[in-house]
């Protein structure tokens, strides 16, 4: 397993994303992910599965300290009192005293200024309810405002071979924060790339494995693929026995074509 050390905290570079996993399927998927070796789990209030994620973790024999668990405060809950109250509910559902990372899921200042929401998350951190706080879907301008106000541990954004995140990566590195890649497999579309196919054949791997390796091999980048299939979960974790050359890393970077899969325009304050 590759770990990145961010602000003195080790973070497993490969995590398990749980979007659209619900009920028993979610509990079983997280239990299986933990058995495979995943130690970084990504959930959110909006996924309506914190209780199932929590139940799977509670039933496993993995010590809590060995895990890195992220949840996210939804856009409707960013008023400071609501952020505190809903995070308390998240922790009850997760059966945890704290999460490792608490994120603002999408920017939305219609309920409170960004700084006020960040202050609420910082208060939760001081109370021991979150080890770190961060943001998700923040553009360079918004991220700069956040880091000017407080210590930000992470920006979680869409990142895969077809969408460059060079500006956010440079910013992450200059502020010692993690860039977490969501939809890292471009929701399965990486399988269709001839270049990824060619590189994967050279290594005896699949295009999904090469893509995940490309992400976690980058400084300060984590990836959180979601897989409802057990075979995909195992395959995605099997990326620590090979290495991409500098030339291969560059060749994958050149696939970037501005392809965004998640339409951000529903979020009131998202702008490129
Ligand atoms: P993704 O991980 O890029 O793609 C998931 C899709 O790829 C599923 O259809 C899955 O199929 C398939 N897949 C997984 N492994 C595969 C493999 N080895 N070979 C072929 N296909 C494979 O996309 P995502 O679910 O959008 O993103 C991942 C996680 O990022 C989410 O679960 C969530 O935790 C997070 N996320 C965050 C935000 C945000 O706003 N912060 C937004 C989107 C996502 P099966 O399910 O059939 O196995």
């Amino acid at each position: 397993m590759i770990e990145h050390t961010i602000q003195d905290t080790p973070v497993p570079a490969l995590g398990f994303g749980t979007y659209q996993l619900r009920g028993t399927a979610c509990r079983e998927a997280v239990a299986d992910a933990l058995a495979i070796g995943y130690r970084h789990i990504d959930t959110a209030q909006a996924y309506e599965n914190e209780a199932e994620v929590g139940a799977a973790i509670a039933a496993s024999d993995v010590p809590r300290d060995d895990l890195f668990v992220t949840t996210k405060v939804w856009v409707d809950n960013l008023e400071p009192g609501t952020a505190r109250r809903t995070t308390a509910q998240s922790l009850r559902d997760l059966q945890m005293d704290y999460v490792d990372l608490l994120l603002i899921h999408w920017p939305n200042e219609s309920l409170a200024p960004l700084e006020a929401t960040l202050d609420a998350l910082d208060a939760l951190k001081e109370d021991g309810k979150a080890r770190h706080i961060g943001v998700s879907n923040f553009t360079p301008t918004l991220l700069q405002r956040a880091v000017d106000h407080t210590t930000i541990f992470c920006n979680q954004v869409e990142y895969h071979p077809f969408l460059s995140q060079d500006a956010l990566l440079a910013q992450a590195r200059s502020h010692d924060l993690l860039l977490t890649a969501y939809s890292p497999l471009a929701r399965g579309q990486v399988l269709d790339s001839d270049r990824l196919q060619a590189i994967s054949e050279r290594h005896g791997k699949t295009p999904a494995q090469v893509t995940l390796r490309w992400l976690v091999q980058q400084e300060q980048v984590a990836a959180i693929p979601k897989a409802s299939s057990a075979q995909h979960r195992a395959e995605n974790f099997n990326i620590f026995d090979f290495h991409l050359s500098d030339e291969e890393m560059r060749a994958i970077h050149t696939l970037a074509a501005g392809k965004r899969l998640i339409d951000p325009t529903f979020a009131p304050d998202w702008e490129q």
Side-chain angles (χ1 to χ4, degrees):
M1 169 61 81
I2 295 175
E3 282 187 342
H4 298 307
T5 299
I6 307 291
Q7 298 168 19
D8 296 329
T9 299
V11 187
L14 186 75
F16 182 62
T18 63
Y19 178 56
Q20 289 182 326
L21 288 170
R22 297 233 173 93
T24 308
C26 179
R27 218 171 43 242
E28 289 177 358
V30 174
D32 181 58
L34 294 172
I36 289 169
Y38 290 86
R39 292 294 178 265
H40 174 169
I41 307 289
D42 183 82
T43 182
Q45 293 173 348
Y47 300 172
E48 298 179 353
N49 65 12
E50 288 169 310
E52 288 75 17
V53 170
I57 290 173
S60 84
D61 53 13
V62 179
R64 175 67 185 88
D65 284 356
D66 291 356
L67 290 174
F68 189 92
V69 178
T70 301
T71 197
K72 316 182 193 82
V73 182
W74 185 235
V75 283
D76 296 339
N77 299 335
L78 297 182
E79 182 277 319
T82 315
R84 281 196 296 274
R85 187 174 45 74
T86 59
T87 301
Q89 185 61 47
S90 293
L91 290 172
R92 277 194 293 277
D93 288 345
L94 284 163
Q95 305 182 43
M96 284 172 194
D97 298 330
Y98 67 92
V99 284
D100 297 274
L101 182 58
L102 182 64
L103 302 178
I104 294 177
H105 202 147
W106 284 87
N108 175 14
E109 291 194 275
S110 66
L111 300 169
L114 169 61
E115 288 75 8
T117 307
L118 288 170
D119 286 345
L121 267 55
D122 265 334
L124 286 160
K125 182 173 149 183
E126 271 176 30
D127 286 350
K129 309 289 186 202
R131 285 174 68 209
H132 302 283
I133 68 162
V135 297
S136 179
N137 297 298
F138 270 39
T139 57
T141 311
L142 275 173
L143 182 63
Q144 192 58 50
R145 260 181 71 197
V147 298
D148 285 346
H149 187 69
T150 189
T151 305
I152 298 295
F153 188 84
C154 169
N155 188 18
Q156 181 181 127
V157 295
E158 180 175 340
Y159 185 28
H160 46 69
F162 311 131
L163 180 65
S164 163
Q165 290 295 9
D166 284 354
L168 286 174
L169 268 171
Q171 214 175 1
R173 287 170 187 151
S174 75
H175 292 288
D176 188 23
L177 60 89
L178 186 71
L179 191 93
T180 299
Y182 79 63
S183 303
L185 301 173
R187 296 197 158 160
Q189 293 184 31
V190 296
L191 303 190
D192 303 328
S193 158
D194 291 344
R195 188 166 315 161
L196 289 169
Q197 189 71 49
I199 295 174
S200 61
E201 275 166 20
R202 213 178 294 151
H203 290 277
K205 293 287 178 182
T206 67
Q209 289 172 317
V210 163
T211 298
L212 295 172
R213 180 73 206 189
W214 171 76
L215 286 164
V216 302
Q217 211 174 290
Q218 296 176 46
E219 197 190 332
Q220 292 183 219
V221 175
I224 48 168
K226 169 247 173 181
S228 47
S229 116
Q231 188 200 320
H232 288 159
R233 282 192 290 275
E235 180 181 322
N236 295 345
F237 197 75
N238 184 14
I239 59 166
F240 301 109
D241 60 352
F242 75 112
H243 190 269
L244 295 171
S245 68
D246 291 349
E247 194 187 332
E248 289 169 329
M249 293 292 285
R250 275 196 299 275
I252 299 172
H253 272 292
T254 62
L255 292 171
K259 185 180 214 172
R260 202 177 278 285
L261 302 172
I262 309 288
D263 178 6
T265 50
F266 84 90
D269 293 324
W270 200 93
E271 56 186 46
Q272 191 110 35

